Amino acid sequence: MDRELFTPNRLFCPGPTPSPWHVKQAALDSDIYHRSKEFEAMVSECSTMLKPLFGTTTQPVILTSSGTGSLEAVVVNLTNSGDSVIVVVGGVFGGRWRKINEAFENKVTVVQVEYGLAPTAKQIEEAFNACPKPKAFFIQANETSTGARFDISTIAAQVRSLSPDTLMVVDAISSLGAHSLDMDKNGLDAVTAGSQKGFGVAPGLSFVALSNRSWKSLSSRSKFYFDLEKERKGQELGRTAWTPAVSLVQSLHASLTHITKIGVPQFAQHHERLAKACRAAVNALGLELFVEKNAVSNALTAIKVPANLDGSKILTTAKIRYGAIISGGQDELKGRIIRFSHLGFVSPFMLIEGLAALEFALADEGHRFNLGSGVTAAMQSLRSQL
Amino acid sequence: MDRELFTPNRLFCPGPTPSPWHVKQAALDSDIYHRSKEFEAMVSECSTMLKPLFGTTTQPVILTSSGTGSLEAVVVNLTNSGDSVIVVVGGVFGGRWRKINEAFENKVTVVQVEYGLAPTAKQIEEAFNACPKPKAFFIQANETSTGARFDISTIAAQVRSLSPDTLMVVDAISSLGAHSLDMDKNGLDAVTAGSQKGFGVAPGLSFVALSNRSWKSLSSRSKFYFDLEKERKGQELGRTAWTPAVSLVQSLHASLTHITKIGVPQFAQHHERLAKACRAAVNALGLELFVEKNAVSNALTAIKVPANLDGSKILTTAKIRYGAIISGGQDELKGRIIRFSHLGFVSPFMLIEGLAALEFALADEGHRFNLGSGVTAAMQSLRSQL
């Protein structure tokens, strides 16, 4: 078939996620001056609509940076050089927490988690034995690089019981929207998110919510662009400290208005449905999940590449022949896993489209299965859940 | 007249500048994965097209941040804590260089310049007497807050003769595109720029070009998000270190393609024409320039508000009644000046439109002049220059 006949760049990678037309279009609404009442109102409304996604009553701040900027902002604003911290490393993004903490001269104790697994209570306890009262505990809600979801509510309770003063810091960049989060109830002290994930907005904005006790114990480090206190004070009035990515804020406002209309719990439930349907497809295709059962994610499904197949070739075929961008493994997982994302504004039928493309690519690269079996299983799963 | 009949949000503020339709629309081209060959090629082409704007053969790096992020990046990458630096402060943005340097614990010697004037050779010499061999000298090419343009080529030569090892650092955020810059020839060691100024792209991207000697003497400071060395190495292959603001890069590519087609010197010349025409209008309206003759800018024209008028009211009227966003003074200049921008993709007839709106607002607020005299003078000036 002629590749030109397939829609190119259908995103089934865990970020950037597909941006709905009305979200993209909002960025074109008009040129807008960021120091105007109308834009300040837009920023304020975004903050208000973000709160239920974070599960907090404190005000999340909006930064013009990619997600990594928000991670740096948290490290720089909550720790002082030389602080002891514990970092859960279960993939590339746990590794990023580690690298940022090391770059800013914190003493890092690592909870090394086998890729695809979740950290155990014992592993966490051992880390606190080695590092009894760390300033902060860093973890992902969803480790994007492996597709493993960590049980933040249980882990936060354990951290709190082991060391009540330790700040519980959660990178929820690829989780927010796909999984419900209750920051206040679970006593999370910092949560980060990014525009290009659950929000279906182009990359370039990130979000940080801090607990009241975090706001009261900010660091004395050198900071300027990522000075969260300055951002918070300004954003209470809708004024960002520096010129923000205006067009992305316009898109964000459209996205949040849409999510609010759907309902935050319903949006998470939608992700859960898609994830179930995707896992049903994987099973029907005779493939295995990479992530253990208790850590499967609603945001993306990680699939083991069978030993007789070349994972990179499958994904190249999906992209080049069929226009579907599906992710592979990073670093040591390169070629070994397929990461199929259903994060953000992926509709049930977009999921079907992506699975069909994956089936075509699997068939081309020599996987033996009945064509259509994955899609059929997903359709049956979706229909039974609706 | 009914305000709804005027096009709202016509931007005559010095950033964000008006974004041409094809530049905005480029962001909608398709969802795009940032780790794809097509996106990497787009980043590489942007870098290549940026070079003649900076006047350099080294590779500018693209950051996902507002302009302030690029200023911090330069301070963090080129200085170590405790370094002595000289900062020219002739307005809010000189003040920002100062604040960032202070936030990162540099020892700052200030060249205080009266707002609207340019620093004199004597003032610069005195600063070097007080601080003989500073690590770096920080200045704006164009002080956006006052509309004063500084003569970078002359000042760079003076700095080089006073202290050859001092790094010459130029914030060209509101200058690039509007004024020709020859980074290599003038021996500039760092130049920064931002997407929402001369490029007519929405805010959210900034650019940093460093000289070869800057690249060879990077700081040992803690850094992560703004690690320029990491960005440079990746961007040689079109790979940004972190997820970039993809849609803004798409717009940037469209903008740079357009500027390249126009020609970099021709684009600066266009700005010069508009600025001349704008000054002719100011004169015809019986108003005075705020900036002294040797420091007038091609990017924006700063106008003194006559003592009998309320500057803030004029601008509110221009905005609310006539949809034209024209800037006023910041901080101590609030109410005292009008900053009318002709930066980026402002066409001759957009200039006329903006001046007409300014005339309406001036007339409403009690300024005495012949309606149309400013626009007529601008038209005559433009026509004589074409």
Side-chain angles (χ1 to χ4, degrees):
Chain A
M1 273 180 283
D2 185 342
R3 49 186 277 198
E4 295 296 328
L5 293 172
F6 293 92
T7 315
N9 291 332
R10 300 290 277 171
L11 298 179
F12 298 99
C13 52
T17 62
S19 195
W21 181 244
H22 68 284
V23 169
K24 299 186 90 166
Q25 209 179 19
L28 305 192
D29 182 34
S30 78
D31 289 329
I32 196 166
Y33 181 52
H34 57 293
R35 303 301 184 208
S36 62
K37 292 283 165 231
E38 73 191 286
F39 186 72
E40 288 169 12
M42 190 177 274
V43 169
S44 292
E45 286 165 24
C46 285
S47 298
T48 301
M49 292 190 283
L50 280 170
K51 288 181 188 179
L53 279 151
F54 283 85
T56 183
T57 57
T58 67
Q59 183 191 309
V61 301
I62 299 169
L63 302 172
T64 293
S65 77
S66 60
T68 300
S70 70
L71 304 185
E72 173 165 325
V74 168
V75 170
V76 166
N77 282 270
L78 294 187
T79 69
N80 284 304
S81 181
D83 276 351
S84 294
V85 300
I86 295 177
V87 176
V88 174
V89 180
V92 171
F93 294 94
R96 188 156 302 170
W97 270 138
R98 177 190 189 154
K99 283 181 188 166
I100 297 175
N101 272 288
E102 287 171 350
F104 289 95
E105 285 123 22
N106 289 340
K107 292 190 208 105
V108 179
T109 299
V110 169
V111 180
Q112 189 67 52
V113 179
E114 197 184 325
Y115 287 10
L117 304 189
T120 62
K122 186 155 168 280
Q123 286 175 309
I124 291 171
E125 205 181 325
E126 282 168 3
F128 277 88
N129 288 341
C131 174
K133 288 182 174 177
K135 181 65 193 283
F137 178 93
F138 293 86
I139 191 167
Q140 270 65 37
N142 193 74
E143 174 51 75
T144 325
S145 69
T146 65
R149 174 194 185 177
F150 300 152
D151 180 355
I152 292 304
S153 125
T154 304
I155 295 169
Q158 187 189 3
V159 168
R160 189 61 56 104
S161 78
L162 290 166
S163 172
D165 293 337
T166 295
L167 299 175
M168 177 74 191
V169 179
V170 180
D171 161 6
I173 291 175
S174 67
S175 168
L176 224 67
H179 305 109
S180 61
L181 188 79
D182 201 330
M183 188 177 161
D184 289 355
K185 195 175 139 200
N186 290 321
L188 312 183
D189 293 295
V191 177
T192 67
S195 56
Q196 80 278 23
K197 305 288 185 178
F199 304 92
V201 172
L205 295 178
S206 65
F207 317 116
V208 177
L210 298 185
S211 65
N212 285 320
R213 71 171 182 170
S214 290
W215 284 120
K216 281 175 198 149
S217 62
L218 296 172
S219 76
S220 57
R221 280 188 198 268
S222 303
K223 51 180 113 57
F224 197 82
Y225 188 71
F226 292 126
D227 183 338
L228 293 178
E229 175 78 353
K230 187 174 172 69
E231 289 292 355
R232 183 184 63 77
K233 284 182 180 165
Q235 290 187 34
E236 279 175 0
L237 306 167
R239 294 178 67 88
T240 56
W242 322 119
T243 308
V246 172
S247 62
L248 302 182
V249 173
Q250 290 173 304
S251 284
L252 177 68
H253 192 273
S255 163
L256 288 170
T257 302
H258 194 173
I259 293 172
T260 303
K261 202 170 150 190
I262 292 166
V264 171
Q266 289 78 4
F267 196 50
Q269 193 190 24
H270 163 70
H271 282 85
E272 196 179 335
R273 283 194 199 116
L274 295 192
K276 266 191 196 163
C278 191
R279 292 195 295 269
V282 170
N283 187 46
L285 292 171
L287 299 174
E288 279 176 55
L289 297 177
F290 175 66
V291 171
E292 66 172 1
K293 259 194 180 159
N294 70 345
V296 290
S297 166
N298 294 344
L300 75 161
T301 298
I303 308 163
K304 281 186 197 165
V305 176
N308 61 322
L309 298 181
D310 180 335
S312 301
K313 275 186 87 174
I314 294 166
L315 299 176
T316 304
T317 298
K319 175 182 163 51
I320 300 296
R321 290 205 191 133
Y322 306 119
I325 316 292
I326 304 168
S327 294
Q330 295 169 280
D331 297 346
E332 63 202 78
L333 293 177
K334 211 174 163 74
R336 291 178 46 207
I337 63 171
I338 291 168
R339 292 181 300 143
F340 186 102
S341 168
H342 24 75
L343 174 60
F345 290 98
V346 176
S347 77
F349 297 122
M350 284 165 75
L351 177 76
I352 297 302
E353 179 191 347
L355 290 171
L358 180 59
E359 287 199 30
F360 274 36
L362 284 165
D364 288 1
E365 297 306 326
H367 182 53
R368 303 206 161 223
F369 66 105
N370 293 322
L371 195 74
S373 58
V375 163
T376 300
M379 286 171 69
Q380 285 168 346
S381 168
L382 285 167
R383 186 124 184 113
S384 74
Q385 293 183 77
L386 288 174
Chain B
M1 274 178 281
D2 185 344
R3 49 185 277 197
E4 293 298 328
L5 293 171
F6 292 92
T7 314
N9 292 333
R10 299 290 277 170
L11 298 180
F12 299 98
C13 53
T17 62
S19 195
W21 181 244
H22 69 284
V23 169
K24 299 186 91 167
Q25 209 179 18
L28 304 193
D29 182 34
S30 78
D31 290 329
I32 196 166
Y33 182 51
H34 57 295
R35 303 301 183 208
S36 61
K37 293 283 166 229
E38 72 191 286
F39 187 73
E40 288 169 12
M42 190 177 273
V43 169
S44 291
E45 285 166 24
C46 285
S47 298
T48 301
M49 291 191 283
L50 280 169
K51 288 181 187 178
L53 279 152
F54 282 86
T56 183
T57 56
T58 67
Q59 183 191 308
V61 300
I62 300 169
L63 301 172
T64 293
S65 77
S66 59
T68 300
S70 69
L71 304 184
E72 172 166 325
V74 168
V75 170
V76 166
N77 282 269
L78 294 187
T79 70
N80 284 304
S81 181
D83 275 352
S84 294
V85 300
I86 294 178
V87 176
V88 174
V89 179
V92 171
F93 294 95
R96 188 156 302 170
W97 271 138
R98 178 190 189 154
K99 284 181 189 168
I100 297 175
N101 272 289
E102 287 171 350
F104 290 94
E105 285 122 20
N106 289 340
K107 292 191 208 103
V108 180
T109 299
V110 169
V111 180
Q112 189 67 51
V113 179
E114 196 184 324
Y115 287 9
L117 305 187
T120 62
K122 186 156 168 281
Q123 285 175 310
I124 291 170
E125 204 180 326
E126 282 167 3
F128 277 87
N129 288 340
C131 174
K133 287 181 176 180
K135 180 66 193 284
F137 179 93
F138 293 86
I139 192 168
Q140 270 65 37
N142 192 74
E143 173 51 76
T144 325
S145 70
T146 65
R149 174 193 185 180
F150 300 152
D151 180 356
I152 293 303
S153 123
T154 304
I155 295 169
Q158 187 190 2
V159 167
R160 189 62 53 105
S161 78
L162 290 167
S163 172
D165 292 337
T166 295
L167 298 176
M168 177 75 190
V169 178
V170 179
D171 160 5
I173 292 176
S174 68
S175 168
L176 223 68
H179 306 109
S180 61
L181 188 77
D182 200 332
M183 188 177 161
D184 289 355
K185 194 175 141 200
N186 291 320
L188 312 183
D189 293 294
V191 177
T192 67
S195 56
Q196 81 278 22
K197 304 288 184 178
F199 304 91
V201 172
L205 295 177
S206 66
F207 317 116
V208 177
L210 298 185
S211 65
N212 285 320
R213 71 171 183 170
S214 290
W215 283 120
K216 281 176 198 148
S217 63
L218 295 172
S219 76
S220 57
R221 278 189 199 269
S222 304
K223 51 180 112 58
F224 198 82
Y225 188 71
F226 291 126
D227 183 338
L228 293 178
E229 175 78 353
K230 187 174 171 69
E231 289 291 357
R232 183 183 62 76
K233 285 183 180 165
Q235 290 187 35
E236 279 175 0
L237 306 167
R239 295 178 67 88
T240 57
W242 323 119
T243 308
V246 171
S247 62
L248 302 181
V249 173
Q250 289 173 306
S251 283
L252 177 68
H253 192 273
S255 162
L256 288 170
T257 302
H258 195 173
I259 293 172
T260 303
K261 201 170 151 191
I262 292 167
V264 171
Q266 288 79 3
F267 196 50
Q269 192 190 24
H270 164 70
H271 282 85
E272 195 179 333
R273 283 194 198 117
L274 295 192
K276 265 189 196 162
C278 190
R279 291 195 295 271
V282 170
N283 187 45
L285 292 170
L287 299 174
E288 280 177 55
L289 297 177
F290 175 68
V291 171
E292 66 172 0
K293 261 196 179 158
N294 69 344
V296 291
S297 166
N298 295 345
L300 75 162
T301 299
I303 308 163
K304 281 186 196 166
V305 175
N308 62 323
L309 298 181
D310 180 335
S312 302
K313 276 186 85 174
I314 294 166
L315 299 176
T316 304
T317 299
K319 174 180 163 53
I320 300 296
R321 291 206 191 131
Y322 307 118
I325 316 291
I326 304 168
S327 294
Q330 295 169 282
D331 297 344
E332 64 202 76
L333 293 177
K334 211 174 162 74
R336 291 177 48 208
I337 63 170
I338 291 167
R339 292 180 301 144
F340 186 101
S341 168
H342 25 75
L343 174 59
F345 289 99
V346 176
S347 77
F349 297 121
M350 285 166 73
L351 177 77
I352 297 302
E353 179 191 348
L355 289 171
L358 180 59
E359 287 200 29
F360 274 36
L362 284 165
D364 288 0
E365 296 306 326
H367 183 54
R368 306 208 158 220
F369 66 104
N370 294 321
L371 194 75
S373 59
V375 163
T376 300
M379 287 172 68
Q380 286 168 345
S381 168
L382 285 167
R383 187 125 183 111
S384 74
Q385 292 183 78
L386 288 175

